[in-house]
Structure formats: structure tokens, C-alpha cells
Amino acid sequence: AQKITQTQPGMFVQEKEAVTLDCTYDTSDPSYGLFWYKQPSSGEMIFLIYQGSYDQQNATEGRYSLNFQKARKSANLVISASQLGDSAMYFCAMRGLNSGGYQKVTFGTGTKLQVIP
Amino acid sequence: DAGVIQSPRHEVTEMGQEVTLRCKPISGHDYLFWYRQTMMRGLELLIYFNNNVPIDDSGMPEDRFSAKMPNASFSTLKIQPSEPRDSAVYFCASSSYEGGNHEQYFGPGTRLTVT
């Protein structure tokens, strides 16, 4: 079974500061992918960043970077230079293979980030 | 591309009625996912299709739920009969294996309220 854990239900960050959102995972699959999604108050799910389990480099997308520590099974999202528009729920997710050999996607419970002016 | 399209955006129905949610995935995507989001249970994967074939429906809560994908551009999620505890936001998402990362593109969701 695979599991995603986000231990921070809510976070505050000052505008223009960096913030780290924690995500740990558990899986027995040798190959998997880790994702971060943003869900603003309007409700849509927006893809932010992806990290493959075999990728040597940490993924980066603009102000987003994924701090991937495979041995610790963590995939933290770092947002640099926070903006007011970053206020949203953030979900960590994992794609792996279940026992039947089929793709399995699991989402964490999310972290609500609020950026303070 | 228009992105993943879902309809209706909002649905209010009475307990016992049949509800059908619709999804049009992004053209060329070969995976389609149905999710349900509630405050209590978070985001749950209900079922996913690959090349129109249901692959894993282990997340479907019970027999009242059914999903079909008659062709590559259309899928439905049906609840019959509906119950108040089915009230949630239902998301459809699609992805392609091209590139290997399986990034999922989500639709805007259907907010279902069963009274």
C-alpha cells in the first residue's frame, strides 16, 4: 500500500518569504512519481511540479522546487518569494503501481497556506 | 486545448434520484480519473480508465456508483440512487503517459448536493 502524509494542516508565511510544505510518503514500489497540486479557494486543482523516483536532480518550476530526499521518503515543496496569490490548499500526491500492476494515485490531506501581506 | 470539461458544474438533487456527471478529457490523453473530494475524506480516487477500459475501480464506494467511458472523448459517473452522504465535489482528470510523468489535468469539478 502507498501512503502520503502531510503533517501541516495550516501554514502562514510573510509575503516575499520562502516557505516549505512537508510531504512524506511510503511505498514499496521501485518506481513512482510525486506531484504537488495547488487548490485555490475557487476549487480548481492546478498542477505545480513533478518528481520521478529515479530523477537525480530535484525538480524546479519557476518559484516552486521539490526537495526530494529519497532515503527519508520526503518530497517537500519549497515556494520562494511568496505572493498573496499563493494562498491556497496544497496537495502532495504519489503515483505508483498497486499489487495488480496498475497505476495507483494517492493524495495527501493537504496543507492550507496563507500568505500575509 | 480547452482542458478537461465537466458538466454540470453544480447539481442539486433529492435523495433517491439518479445523478449523472459528465467528463470530456483532453484530446489525446489515454488515462481518465474520477475523484471525489469532501472535507471529511479529502480527495479520493474512485476509478480510472486507460484507453477507455476501467482499470481500477477499488475506490468506488458501493454498487450505487458506476462509471463508463464509451469512447476516448467522453466518460460518465452515475449515482443511482443518490444519498445525502454522496454530497461532494467530483473531479475528472486526464493524463497521458507521453513524457512519462503522468501529470494529471483536472477539470473544474461538479459540486453535488443531495438533499
Side-chain angles (χ1 to χ4, degrees), chain B residues 3-19:
Chain B
V4 176
I5 299 172
Q6 291 186 249
S7 64
R9 294 293 307 276
H10 301 272
E11 177 79 30
V12 180
T13 190
E14 292 183 349
M15 182 174 62
Q17 297 297 307
E18 177 180 298
V19 174

Side-chain angles (χ1 to χ4, degrees), chain B residues 93-113:
Chain B
S94 70
S95 71
S96 169
Y97 190 69
E98 185 176 345
N101 69 1
H102 279 270
E103 169 193 335
Q104 295 185 21
Y105 294 84
F106 280 73
T110 295
R111 183 173 295 276
L112 173 65
T113 303

Side-chain angles (χ1 to χ4, degrees), chain A residues 4-85:
Chain A
I4 291 281
T5 302
Q6 294 181 256
T7 58
Q8 306 153 314
M11 292 272 292
F12 290 91
V13 65
Q14 205 76 36
E15 192 178 9
K16 300 181 184 178
E17 297 291 315
V19 63
T20 298
L21 307 184
D22 294 342
C23 173
T24 58
Y25 62 92
D26 191 22
T27 182
S28 55
D29 300 331
S31 176
Y32 50 90
L34 295 152
F35 302 79
W36 278 91
Y37 285 85
K38 172 185 179 182
Q39 186 176 41
S41 57
S42 52
E44 71 266 36
M45 295 286 285
I46 302 167
F47 167 77
L48 296 178
I49 196 167
Y50 166 83
Q51 179 84 41
S53 59
Y54 290 116
D55 293 343
Q56 296 296 314
Q57 305 275 355
N58 284 346
T60 59
E61 288 286 347
R63 295 185 300 110
Y64 304 108
S65 61
L66 200 154
N67 185 1
F68 181 48
Q69 298 187 44
K70 194 170 182 178
R72 301 176 74 172
K73 292 189 174 180
S74 72
N76 299 339
L77 177 70
V78 180
I79 305 175
S80 62
S82 298
Q83 302 172 356
L84 296 178

Side-chain angles (χ1 to χ4, degrees), chain B residues 20-35:
Chain B
T20 299
L21 311 181
R22 297 171 177 79
C23 174
K24 176 179 170 55
I26 292 173
S27 176
H29 281 188
D30 52 353
Y31 284 86
L32 184 139
F33 304 81
W34 281 101
Y35 291 90

Side-chain angles (χ1 to χ4, degrees), chain B residues 17-94:
Chain B
Q17 297 297 307
E18 177 180 298
V19 174
T20 299
L21 311 181
R22 297 171 177 79
C23 174
K24 176 179 170 55
I26 292 173
S27 176
H29 281 188
D30 52 353
Y31 284 86
L32 184 139
F33 304 81
W34 281 101
Y35 291 90
R36 177 173 68 176
Q37 186 177 35
T38 62
M39 287 294 293
M40 291 297 294
R41 301 177 68 89
L43 198 61
E44 303 172 277
L45 176 64
L46 300 178
I47 185 172
Y48 81 88
F49 296 82
N50 178 218
N51 292 323
N52 314 338
V53 177
I55 301 300
D56 186 353
D57 64 354
S58 60
M60 295 286 261
E62 49 197 275
D63 292 345
R64 296 185 297 107
F65 286 70
S66 63
K68 294 181 179 180
M69 192 166 185
N71 57 61
S73 59
F74 183 66
S75 177
T76 60
L77 179 67
K78 186 177 293 187
I79 309 172
Q80 165 65 14
S82 59
E83 297 182 3
R85 59 192 169 119
D86 301 331
S87 297
V89 178
Y90 291 81
F91 286 101
C92 175
S94 70

